[in-house]
Amino acid sequence: MKKMLTVLLLISLILSLLTMAACQPAETEPEEATLSTTANGKDIVQKVGPVEASWFDDAVMVGDSITLKLCYYCEENPDALGKIQFFCSGSLSYNNALWDIDDPDAVHPVYEGETTLTEYCAEKTGASKVFIMLGMNDIGLYGVDGALSAAQTLTDNILAHSEHASIYIQSVTPIVKGCEYDDLNNKLIRTFNEKLKSFAEENGYMYLDLYSLFADENGYLKDEYCSDKEDMGIHFTDTACGMWADYLKENV
């Protein structure tokens, strides 16, 4: 009798365990981590963590000669930022981007063989993401506040032509030691970047801190990232451009 009771108890226990296992939900693939945020006053959901290079296929990069170096790097390394397009010109700034198209001193970008105002960068390229890195050529001529005022006008103009575009504001990058001027130096750049970050946040744009990526412990552009440290001291090496691309993929 005791043996029979023991067997029945074991059978009952096994059936209970099988029933509990059947009631457990089936294993599913972990959900992709996302982050709800706001861009240009619109609620959007973004993937958390690195994105693939193809994420930039519908992006355009606006910039001066520093960004032109990234353009050349991406042409030689097509896997860096996918099919991103570039709207750049040497000496381009927030201020002179607002000049008339026929101004004799203008340095407007050339897109598909035609000189074009920067405010058409998204409309002309069909981009839904606009990355801007300007300011180096503004600070010395127009001061921090003059540069910020022009940044507001330029971004407003871009959105007037492409209202659904998302704006990404990149900081100005540092200058190598020995190449600073009284009216253009790393202290002024940091002041500008602080205000630029506030400007981006107030307008619902994403701010990307490139300055910290390339600066040494004293705030100078690291020598190994500078391709012209005996001249202007602001332009990048291929190594720095690769870091720039990786930073964007990890932080957008």
Side-chain angles (χ1 to χ4, degrees), residues 71-121:
C71 175
Y72 303 146
Y73 176 84
C74 288
E75 289 175 353
E76 296 175 359
N77 300 273
D79 293 333
L81 291 174
K83 298 177 182 178
I84 192 171
Q85 299 182 75
F86 287 84
F87 230 81
C88 302
S89 177
S91 300
L92 188 65
S93 71
Y94 282 115
N95 278 271
N96 63 33
L98 304 176
W99 294 358
D100 290 339
I101 192 72
D102 56 355
D103 191 301
D105 296 320
V107 290
H108 299 302
V110 175
Y111 181 74
E112 295 186 342
E114 182 182 359
T115 301
T116 309
L117 290 175
T118 303
E119 64 191 57
Y120 294 107
C121 61

Side-chain angles (χ1 to χ4, degrees), residues 147-193:
L148 287 168
S149 177
Q152 182 71 71
T153 302
L154 180 60
T155 52
D156 286 347
N157 290 353
I158 291 172
L159 292 174
H161 297 292
S162 303
E163 63 178 336
H164 298 298
S166 296
I167 305 291
Y168 297 79
I169 301 294
Q170 302 171 98
S171 73
V172 174
T173 48
I175 301 172
V176 81
K177 187 176 182 179
C179 291
E180 296 174 288
Y181 296 92
D182 290 341
D183 57 358
L184 180 60
N185 52 64
N186 288 320
K187 183 178 180 180
L188 280 172
I189 289 174
R190 288 193 295 272
T191 298
F192 174 70
N193 284 339

Side-chain angles (χ1 to χ4, degrees), residues 17-39:
L17 292 173
L18 289 173
T19 301
M20 291 173 62
C23 292
Q24 293 296 318
E27 290 188 8
T28 59
E29 292 294 324
E31 293 185 3
E32 184 180 74
T34 59
L35 171 67
S36 295
T37 186
T38 300

Side-chain angles (χ1 to χ4, degrees), residues 188-242:
L188 280 172
I189 289 174
R190 288 193 295 272
T191 298
F192 174 70
N193 284 339
E194 289 173 4
K195 292 191 175 184
L196 189 66
K197 181 179 180 181
S198 297
F199 156 78
E201 292 171 347
E202 290 166 2
N203 285 273
Y205 306 149
M206 176 171 280
Y207 177 77
L208 296 161
D209 180 14
L210 296 178
Y211 186 98
S212 298
L213 179 66
F214 297 114
D216 63 16
E217 63 276 9
N218 296 311
Y220 296 109
L221 176 62
K222 292 182 179 179
D223 283 354
E224 60 266 34
Y225 300 151
C226 184
S227 64
D228 61 346
K229 54 181 175 286
E230 302 301 327
D231 188 13
M232 298 182 69
I234 60 174
H235 297 102
F236 288 162
T237 61
D238 282 350
T239 297
C241 288

